[in-house]
């Protein structure tokens, strides 16, 4: 897979797009094919030649830093292919914690956000956990399907295979995620059943995995991330996935509500990647073909 250059934690960490932007070969078809989508980009993006992308590098294999401190994973490599199709560079910026990604987008810190973000109605409409309006909401260009995975100790000694089995246990989740919301919604259910659920919130997947090595009985996360942890932690000797993938939902590239022109051209570019095969190549490189979609849509939750 392509290697992406990194330049630090809080400023620009990667410039992706590469020499193929100016050539007539490679993924994305001919120069003329790319130019038609390039012309549909907002004028400010065309003039800058850059789209800035907010992300949290805390979620292997979707978006993380490799051993050389470079951005790696599904999202950076799909973004690289999108840059080739659109004729612009995509520059990843580190938002720090995942919970900072969408607020940073809404505050105008970057043009789009691409960080394994699950497309939900609540995020589209800007609703908080109580269903009240918290912000203007965002639009999504969907590009991948991922359900919930429950990572547990090898051998699954507690027999945890679904959400109901979490009652009476200690679970760890990353703060600001849909899994955090799920665990907190499950707490009163478990209280009513007389089996209290303890929820340990963290800022990163690595911190949650550390909890799983210690006091936590389960780590609730996206299925690809649970699968990656099971395959790589302790060379596959520490964890496994308890039960099947649950409640599949789309990942989406997030945009501010006012950026419809950019949203629409990104959807067209993603569909071109899907049609021409570059999309499947990236998913296969990361062992994530199970989450492939047939076509990209807007706000598909």
């Amino acid at each position: 897979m392509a290697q992406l250059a990194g330049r630090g934690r809080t400023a620009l960490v990667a410039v992706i797009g590469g020499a193929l932007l100016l050539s007539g070969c490679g993924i994305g078809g001919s120069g003329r094919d790319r130019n038609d989508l390039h012309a549909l980009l907002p004028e400010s993006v065309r003039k800058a030649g850059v789209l800035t992308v907010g992300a949290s590098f805390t979620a292997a294999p979707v978006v993380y830093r490799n051993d050389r401190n470079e951005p790696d994973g599904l999202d950076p490599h799909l973004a690289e292919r999108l840059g080739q199709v659109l004729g612009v560079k995509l520059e990843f910026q580190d938002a720090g914690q995942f919970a900072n990604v969408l607020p940073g987008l809404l505050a105008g810190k970057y043009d789009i956000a691409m960080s394994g973000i699950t497309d939900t109605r609540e995020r589209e409409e800007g609703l908080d956990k109580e269903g009240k309006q918290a912000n203007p909401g965002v639009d999504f260009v969907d590009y991948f399907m991922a359900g919930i995975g429950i990572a547990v100790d090898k051998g699954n000694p507690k027999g945890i295979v679904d959400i109901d089995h979490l009652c009476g246990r200690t679970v760890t989740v990353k703060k600001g995620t849909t899994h955090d919301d799920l665990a907190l919604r499950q707490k009163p259910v478990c209280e009513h059943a007389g089996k209290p659920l303890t929820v340990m919130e963290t800022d990163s997947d690595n911190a949650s995995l550390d909890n799983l090595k210690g006091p936590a009985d389960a780590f609730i996360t996206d299925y690809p991330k649970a699968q990656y942890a099971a395959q790589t932690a302790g060379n596959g000797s520490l964890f496994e996935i308890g039960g099947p993938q649950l409640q599949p939902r789309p990942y989406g590239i997030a945009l501010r509500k006012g950026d419809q022109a950019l949203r629409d051209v990104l959807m067209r570019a993603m569909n071109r990647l899907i049609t021409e095969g570059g999309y499947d190549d990236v998913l296969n490189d990361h062992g994530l073909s199970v989450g492939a979609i047939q076509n990209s849509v807007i706000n598909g939750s």
Side-chain angles (χ1 to χ4, degrees):
M1 63 185 71
Q3 299 300 332
L4 311 178
R7 286 197 249 162
R9 177 173 173 77
T10 57
L12 173 66
V13 297
V15 178
I16 56 183
L20 286 175
L21 295 175
L22 302 179
S23 74
C25 60
I27 295 298
S30 68
R32 179 179 179 182
D33 289 338
R34 285 191 299 281
N35 288 341
D36 65 349
L37 292 183
H38 181 82
L40 296 176
L41 288 166
E43 182 180 4
S44 60
V45 176
R46 295 199 310 271
K47 284 185 176 180
V50 168
L51 268 176
T52 54
V53 186
S56 174
F57 292 89
T58 60
V62 178
V63 53
Y64 63 102
R65 296 183 186 278
N66 61 27
D67 292 340
R68 293 172 297 281
N69 202 36
E70 300 163 343
D72 208 336
L74 173 69
D75 284 356
H77 290 108
L78 273 180
E80 180 179 22
R81 299 298 184 105
L82 285 174
Q84 293 167 8
V85 169
L86 292 169
V88 295
K89 297 176 182 178
L90 275 77
E91 295 180 347
F92 269 73
Q93 297 183 349
D94 196 336
Q97 302 172 14
F98 179 82
N100 296 339
V101 175
L102 289 181
L105 174 69
L106 291 170
K109 293 183 177 180
Y110 25 82
D111 298 314
I112 63 176
M114 193 173 185
S115 192
I117 307 169
T118 301
D119 176 358
T120 68
R121 181 183 65 86
E122 291 78 13
R123 286 171 173 163
E124 291 174 14
E125 298 180 7
L127 305 179
D128 63 17
K129 291 179 175 63
E130 285 73 42
K132 297 178 181 178
Q133 196 74 44
N135 59 64
V138 297
D139 283 337
F140 287 100
V141 175
D142 295 339
Y143 63 94
F144 186 75
M145 291 294 294
I148 298 168
I150 305 175
V152 297
D153 289 333
K154 199 73 170 180
N156 196 4
K158 304 292 178 64
I160 300 171
V161 298
D162 58 28
I163 302 301
D164 289 337
H165 284 88
L166 298 176
C167 291
R169 307 299 183 190
T170 297
V171 303
T172 184
V173 292
K174 189 161 64 177
K175 193 181 304 179
T177 62
T178 55
H179 315 103
D180 189 11
D181 296 341
L182 175 67
L184 295 176
R185 287 197 304 269
Q186 187 68 10
K187 278 178 70 76
V189 176
C190 295
E191 289 282 354
H192 183 73
K195 299 178 179 179
L197 169 63
T198 300
V199 179
M200 303 178 68
E201 297 176 308
T202 70
D203 293 330
S204 70
D205 285 358
N206 284 340
S208 288
L209 289 172
D210 285 341
N211 285 341
L212 186 55
K213 293 173 184 176
D217 301 306
F219 170 31
I220 309 173
T221 186
D222 291 335
Y223 191 86
K225 301 170 192 176
Q227 185 178 49
Y228 183 83
Q231 292 171 344
T232 59
N235 293 318
S237 66
L238 298 181
F239 308 127
E240 64 181 65
I241 298 177
Q245 180 171 231
L246 306 171
Q247 304 174 14
R249 289 184 175 182
Y251 282 171
I253 301 171
L255 300 95
R256 292 179 290 273
K257 288 289 187 182
D259 292 336
Q260 293 97 333
L262 178 58
R263 177 199 68 189
D264 292 349
V265 73
L266 280 172
M267 183 188 68
R268 292 183 63 172
M270 187 64 71
N271 278 321
R272 182 167 294 177
L273 283 182
I274 292 170
T275 300
E276 296 182 352
Y279 173 82
D280 285 337
D281 290 344
V282 173
L283 266 62
N284 289 335
D285 284 346
H286 293 279
L288 295 173
S289 58
V290 67
I293 59 172
Q294 294 184 346
N295 63 288
S296 176
V297 299
I298 293 168
N299 296 337
S301 67

